[in-house]
Amino acid sequence: EVQLVQSGAEVKKAGESLKISCKGSGYNFAGYWIGWVRQMPGKGLEWMGIIYPGDSDLRVSPSFQGQVSISVDKSINTASLQWTSLKASDTAMYYCATLHHTNGYFEHWGQGTQVTVSS
Amino acid sequence: DIQLTQSPSTLSASIGDRVTVTCRASQTIHSWLAWYQQKPGKAPKLLIYKASTLESGVPSRFSGSGSRTEFTLTISSLEPDDFATYYCQQYTIYPYTFGQGTKLEIK
């Protein structure tokens, strides 16, 4: 069974750094793109970017380019999302999800990580 | 970026109703469209991919149709479990994008 388990909720101050994670199990982690989706409070889903664990090939939405870093460590089946300097506007739920092996829709989702940033 | 516009934004309906949600793309996306259902406090769930292919385990009352720039999600007979928010997503050109969502409420 495919499982994506995300790290726990975070409460941070503006300007602080943060790294959240998503650990996959039950499938060939290196062989499937994995991505991140943001959902701000009361708002819709936003496609942030995806990474291929096999070779770290990366596709990032221009809306998020330079705002956040997406990385992966295939040795521990874990994808990460990192900020160097958080803003209050980064407050959101962040989901990781795997893509279908030949198409770009999200098949399996993590439970989400709530990030709250106070100013 | 390809823009996806869903209509309506909110839909009020009753148990047993047939409902349709529309997703319009700003340029052709062929049939590379998926639909998701999201309930409050939960991760989205894949319902349909390639515009009309039902994901395994999804009830047959859900169906999708369309191509190029206009797509629909239809629920043939609403059940209590269907009240949720629905999103379309295109996966033709990076960055892939989502529609803004359609909230299906109980009338």
Side-chain angles (χ1 to χ4, degrees), chain B residues 13-32:
Chain B
S14 303
I15 302 298
D17 284 354
R18 178 185 180 89
V19 299
T20 297
V21 178
T22 298
C23 176
R24 289 191 173 87
S26 58
Q27 63 188 79
T28 182
I29 57 172
H30 309 287
S31 295
W32 305 123

Side-chain angles (χ1 to χ4, degrees), chain A residues 33 37 39 43-47 50 59-63 93 95 99 103-112, chain B residues 1 32 34 36 38 41-46 48-50 55 87 89-91 94-101:
Chain A
W33 289 83
V37 174
Q39 188 165 40
K43 302 298 184 184
L45 306 175
E46 298 175 88
W47 193 93
I50 56 174
R59 303 280 187 272
V60 180
S61 170
S63 298
M93 179 71 81
Y95 293 101
L99 273 66
N103 286 283
Y105 57 87
F106 292 115
E107 270 196 303
H108 304 283
W109 293 73
Q111 83 277 18
Chain B
D1 298 5
W32 305 123
Y36 302 87
Q38 187 182 33
K42 299 292 188 185
K45 172 189 170 186
L46 176 67
I48 287 169
Y49 59 91
K50 207 177 176 186
E55 170 71 345
Y87 295 92
Q89 180 224 331
Q90 65 83 16
Y91 50 98
Y94 294 119
Y96 297 160
T97 47
F98 289 96
Q100 84 279 13

Side-chain angles (χ1 to χ4, degrees), chain A residues 7-118:
Chain A
S7 50
E10 301 275 1
V11 179
K12 292 287 194 179
K13 290 187 169 60
E16 292 184 331
S17 62
L18 175 65
K19 189 173 189 176
I20 63 174
S21 65
C22 171
K23 185 173 176 64
S25 62
Y27 72 103
N28 173 22
F29 183 82
Y32 288 76
W33 289 83
I34 189 164
W36 291 93
V37 174
R38 183 175 79 173
Q39 188 165 40
M40 298 177 77
K43 302 298 184 184
L45 306 175
E46 298 175 88
W47 193 93
M48 299 178 72
I50 56 174
I51 189 164
Y52 187 71
D55 60 7
S56 296
D57 193 10
L58 186 59
R59 303 280 187 272
V60 180
S61 170
S63 298
F64 293 94
Q65 194 83 44
Q67 308 303 308
V68 69
S69 297
I70 296 173
S71 62
V72 68
D73 185 342
K74 64 182 179 183
S75 70
I76 55 171
N77 286 9
T78 299
S80 298
L81 194 59
Q82 185 169 11
W83 295 261
T84 55
S85 181
L86 286 160
K87 308 183 190 76
S89 57
D90 292 318
T91 294
M93 179 71 81
Y94 293 88
Y95 293 101
C96 66
T98 60
L99 273 66
H100 182 268
H101 68 284
T102 58
N103 286 283
Y105 57 87
F106 292 115
E107 270 196 303
H108 304 283
W109 293 73
Q111 83 277 18
T113 295
Q114 176 66 46
V115 173
T116 303
V117 183
S118 62

